[in-house]
């Protein structure tokens, strides 16, 4: 049973912070790059951040660079996305995905498994 389950979304005021969690099961996290993606209504999916298991390499979209930190805890089979200085344009459903390739992970083309998403709403 391969599963990725996102949590931590909710309503946040502009300028606020939150931490998203992606709990994975049914496969070895060590062999996958985990990415966070988001999709707003009427918009295409956007890669937000990725972390590679082999060396911990991280990547961030320009839109969140400097405001986000991705991290992993292999013992807990969980990947986190810490975001701060949130903006209304960060409002979206956030998904995590498992990618066997560490190349171009923000593209999301090689994702094998997807979670069902968690909604982040940034509004006053």
């Amino acid at each position: 049973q391969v599963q990725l389950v996102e949590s931590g979304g909710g309503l946040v005021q502009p300028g606020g912070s939150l931490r998203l969690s992606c709990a994975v099961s049914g496969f070895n996290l060590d062999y996958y790059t985990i990415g966070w993606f988001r999709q707003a209504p009427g918009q295409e999916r956007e890669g937000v951040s990725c972390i590679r298991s082999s060396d911990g390499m991280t990547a961030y979209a320009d839109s969140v660079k400097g405001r986000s930190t991705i991290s992993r805890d292999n013992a807990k089979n969980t990947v986190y996305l810490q975001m701060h200085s949130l903006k209304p344009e960060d409002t979206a459903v956030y998904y995590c995905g498992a990618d066997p390739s560490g190349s171009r992970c923000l593209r999301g083309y090689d994702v094998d498994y997807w979670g069902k998403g968690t909604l982040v709403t940034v509004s006053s």
Side-chain angles (χ1 to χ4, degrees):
Q1 294 283 341
V2 175
Q3 288 189 337
L4 290 82
V5 180
E6 303 93 338
S7 62
L11 177 63
V12 187
Q13 292 188 340
S17 301
L18 56 72
R19 186 181 71 168
L20 303 180
S21 299
C22 176
V24 305
S25 61
F27 65 96
N28 291 326
L29 183 59
D30 290 350
Y31 304 136
Y32 283 85
T33 295
I34 303 298
W36 283 99
F37 306 83
R38 65 187 182 185
Q39 188 168 20
Q43 303 294 320
E44 296 295 316
R45 184 187 65 208
E46 176 189 18
V48 179
S49 183
C50 302
I51 184 166
R52 191 163 65 191
S53 296
S54 59
D55 59 0
M57 180 277 296
T58 60
Y60 298 91
D62 290 341
S63 59
V64 303
K65 198 170 298 181
R67 302 189 295 116
S68 301
T69 301
I70 190 169
S71 61
R72 66 182 178 184
D73 187 337
N74 285 2
K76 296 182 178 180
N77 297 114
T78 301
V79 174
Y80 305 97
L81 181 68
Q82 180 74 45
M83 304 187 70
H84 63 271
S85 300
L86 286 162
K87 305 174 181 179
E89 51 262 44
D90 293 317
T91 296
V93 176
Y94 284 70
Y95 303 88
C96 60
D99 185 342
S101 172
S103 178
R104 302 286 187 260
C105 58
L106 291 176
R107 304 286 181 88
Y109 296 150
D110 296 316
V111 170
D112 284 348
Y113 311 111
W114 290 97
K116 295 188 181 299
T118 184
L119 176 63
V120 173
T121 302
V122 183
S123 176
S124 59

